């Protein structure tokens, strides 16, 4: 699986991976289509790493820092699958951590 390029999810968010290094590290930008932040959405930097097996169906993870418009950070983990039609598809899970004002509010900070 080649992560380099543009990817789009079911909600209309897009991710661009600029280049994957020989060691599996990559960087790019995430263009989210959804946000609860009050500021206008802006493209956000991402950094990650992938692991490729012989079958080419890699696992990967990356972090997105929403610093341009929000006090939150998200982490994604997933796997790339190659379908019978040759189309590559990413399946991911994510966690989003929002900044809270105090430790007692910690319970509501992670989605």
């Amino acid at each position: 699986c080649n992560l380099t390029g543009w990817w789009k999810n079911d909600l209309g968010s897009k991710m661009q991976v600029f280049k994957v290094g020989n060691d599996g590290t990559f960087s790019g930008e995430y263009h989210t289509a959804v946000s609860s932040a009050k500021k206008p959405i802006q493209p956000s930097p991402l950094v990650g790493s992938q692991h490729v097996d012989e079958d080419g169906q890699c696992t990967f993870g990356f972090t997105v820092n929403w610093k341009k418009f929000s006090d939150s950070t998200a982490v994604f983990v997933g796997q790339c699958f190659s379908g019978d039609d040759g189309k590559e598809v990413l399946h991911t899970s994510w966690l989003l951590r929002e900044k809270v004002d105090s430790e007692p509010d910690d319970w509501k900070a992670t989605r």
Side-chain angles (χ1 to χ4, degrees):
C1 183
N2 182 1
L3 292 179
T4 302
W6 284 95
W7 298 89
K8 182 176 77 172
N9 73 12
D10 296 338
L11 297 176
S13 296
K14 298 179 203 171
M15 168 179 79
Q16 182 181 19
V17 174
F18 300 138
K19 180 184 176 187
V20 179
N22 292 337
D23 61 353
T25 59
F26 60 89
S27 64
E29 283 188 332
Y30 199 95
H31 302 247
T32 187
V34 295
S35 172
S36 62
K38 293 178 174 63
K39 295 180 182 177
I41 295 172
Q42 295 186 44
S44 300
L46 69 84
V47 293
S49 182
Q50 75 168 14
H51 174 81
V52 180
D53 285 334
E54 292 95 30
D55 62 7
Q57 296 185 12
C58 69
T59 58
F60 59 89
F62 60 91
T63 302
V64 179
N65 185 336
W66 309 110
K67 66 183 175 183
K68 294 181 179 180
F69 66 94
S70 175
D71 290 332
S72 61
T73 303
V75 293
F76 294 75
V77 293
Q79 183 172 345
C80 180
F81 295 94
S82 298
D84 293 336
D85 60 359
K87 184 178 177 182
E88 294 176 333
V89 177
L90 306 181
H91 286 261
T92 61
S93 296
W94 57 269
L95 289 172
L96 178 96
R97 176 66 187 217
E98 292 181 300
K99 179 182 148 188
V100 292
D101 294 327
S102 65
E103 188 177 358
D105 290 332
D106 184 62
W107 67 271
K108 64 181 180 179
T110 302
R111 289 190 239 169

